[in-house]
Amino acid sequence: MEGKLIMRAVQYNSYGRGADGLKHVEVLVPTPNKDEVLIKLEATSLNPLDLKFQKGVARPFVPRKFPVIPCTDVAGEVVEVGSSVVKFKAGDKVVALLNPFIGGGLAEYAVAKECLTVQRPEEVSAAEGAGLPVAAISAHKALVDISGIKLDGSGTRMNILITAASGGVGHYAVQLAKLGNTHVTGTCGARNIEFVKSLGADEVLDYKTPQGATLKSPSGKKYDVVVHCARGIPWSTFQPNLNDTGKVIDLTPGPTSMYTYVWKKLTFSKKQLLPLIFIPKEDKELKLLVNLVKEGKLKTIFDSKYPLSKAQDAWAKSLDGHATGKIIVEMI
């Protein structure tokens, strides 16, 4: 691409202010470094982490500087490649995870590292692909890397609890867990019970009912693993529902969960709380997940879709905290 091209983008200039802090701007199209690709974006998905960064939970590290164009999970078409890029060429359809320290997803163009970009087959739409990176990789790490579930259905049968099972991470976690040899219990609000069952969950708890709040399995099973995608549930609620060596994998760790993690380690407890720290370095998991979507084994369910011009509405919807599946912004 030659010359100084201008693109539409959405950015914020300071911490806080929610959707009101987002501003529509015109800025220069970024230039890829030697190990990067420039992507003409078709779709971007929002994650709770994007909202947390705006609130300042990772200051001063994220964002690195203002103004910032938020969001990291994108899909589109490669239009330019850096000098050392060998896996991609202009015209390739891709899914990518952008640098979380920089962002860039709420725009018409973005640069992504070659090592965090994967080919997107024609069977996978841009919106389906854009939903995957942070949410589906987090679910995969919790279930496969930490819990040892085998997605071919082999391995020891495990009882799994997934909290917030209708959300962005949760809806992927239910589907991935059911590819393994598992019995899955999910939690959600009353309106999403049938939805979570349709994803494959064996049991579903309404977290607002007295029984649901205890997290106790309706069939009396003790959990081997809890994939904890919700917030505000203390260790004391999980503990009686775990088997002797059960573990809670916290995908939204805060100070309390970090304290519990350290305490359980220091006291050599067999029951563990493990915070999931997500630091992507390679494309292997994303490639696997895109292929599962291609094969029809994993689906991205959309809560809602918005054009870039309505990005503030998408942000407000995500802030509401009750999305069913993924919220997508499309570059139309």
Side-chain angles (χ1 to χ4, degrees):
M1 296 179 71
E2 298 179 357
K4 295 289 187 180
L5 296 182
I6 301 294
M7 68 177 184
R8 294 182 301 143
V10 175
Q11 66 184 29
Y12 58 85
N13 295 297
S14 62
Y15 294 117
R17 298 192 60 212
D20 291 338
L22 300 183
K23 302 299 178 187
H24 290 268
V25 295
E26 291 190 341
V27 296
L28 292 175
V29 171
T31 301
N33 293 322
K34 64 178 183 178
D35 62 343
E36 294 177 330
V37 296
L38 176 64
I39 305 169
K40 187 178 191 302
L41 300 184
E42 297 172 45
T44 295
S45 73
L46 273 58
N47 292 297
L49 201 55
D50 302 319
L51 313 180
K52 290 181 179 179
F53 287 159
Q54 188 200 29
K55 290 177 181 177
V57 298
R59 70 172 75 184
F61 306 106
V62 183
R64 282 182 176 167
K65 61 180 181 179
F66 292 113
V68 61
I69 299 170
C71 300
T72 59
D73 296 14
V74 303
E77 181 177 319
V78 174
V79 292
E80 185 180 347
V81 300
S83 59
S84 67
V85 171
V86 296
K87 295 179 183 177
F88 303 99
K89 64 183 185 304
D92 285 347
K93 297 287 189 177
V94 295
V95 177
L97 175 58
L98 307 182
N99 185 331
F101 292 101
I102 299 171
L106 285 185
E108 292 180 300
Y109 294 85
V111 290
K113 293 287 187 186
E114 179 184 28
C115 63
L116 291 174
T117 303
V118 303
Q119 297 280 358
R120 174 168 59 88
E122 61 183 14
E123 295 91 343
V124 181
S125 72
E128 288 172 326
L132 293 170
V134 166
I137 291 175
S138 295
H140 184 271
K141 283 188 176 299
L143 291 164
V144 176
D145 294 356
I146 300 177
S147 305
I149 290 172
K150 300 183 184 301
L151 299 185
D152 62 2
S154 65
T156 305
R157 187 161 179 82
M158 300 176 74
N159 295 320
I160 311 291
L161 171 67
I162 299 168
T163 63
S166 60
V169 178
H171 92 286
Y172 287 129
V174 172
Q175 295 176 76
L176 289 171
K178 289 308 296 180
L179 292 176
N181 183 13
T182 64
H183 178 280
V184 173
T185 304
T187 74
C188 62
R191 69 185 177 92
N192 285 320
I193 287 175
E194 292 306 315
F195 167 66
V196 174
K197 285 181 180 177
S198 75
L199 297 174
D202 301 284
E203 303 173 328
V204 184
L205 298 170
D206 176 356
Y207 72 93
K208 291 185 177 180
T209 64
Q211 180 186 356
T214 69
L215 303 181
K216 186 176 181 180
S217 165
S219 58
K221 291 179 171 60
K222 297 290 187 180
Y223 305 121
D224 300 294
V225 173
V226 177
V227 180
H228 183 30
C229 308
R231 294 184 295 275
I233 302 176
W235 172 258
S236 58
T237 303
F238 291 119
Q239 189 161 359
N241 295 300
L242 297 173
N243 72 18
D244 290 342
T245 57
K247 48 182 173 269
V248 177
I249 303 165
D250 192 348
L251 274 62
T252 59
T256 302
S257 64
M258 296 302 288
Y259 170 81
T260 304
Y261 163 68
V262 172
W263 178 249
K264 292 294 172 185
K265 286 290 185 184
L266 290 174
T267 57
F268 301 101
S269 171
K270 290 182 179 180
K271 297 182 180 182
Q272 295 284 332
L273 186 144
L274 305 171
L276 179 69
I277 308 299
F278 178 51
I279 305 175
K281 294 180 180 178
E282 59 181 2
D283 63 6
K284 185 173 75 170
E285 285 172 303
L286 187 54
K287 193 178 294 182
L288 179 150
L289 292 161
V290 169
N291 194 55
L292 288 176
V293 175
K294 175 188 174 183
E295 294 174 352
K297 296 178 180 177
L298 183 68
K299 295 179 180 178
T300 297
I301 306 297
F302 306 119
D303 175 274
S304 47
K305 295 179 180 179
Y306 299 83
L308 184 61
S309 61
K310 300 288 186 182
Q312 289 98 331
D313 293 344
W315 202 263
K317 174 67 173 176
S318 188
L319 279 168
D320 179 54
H322 293 97
T324 302
K326 294 294 295 183
I327 297 171
I328 304 292
V329 174
E330 296 180 308
M331 309 310 155
I332 54 177

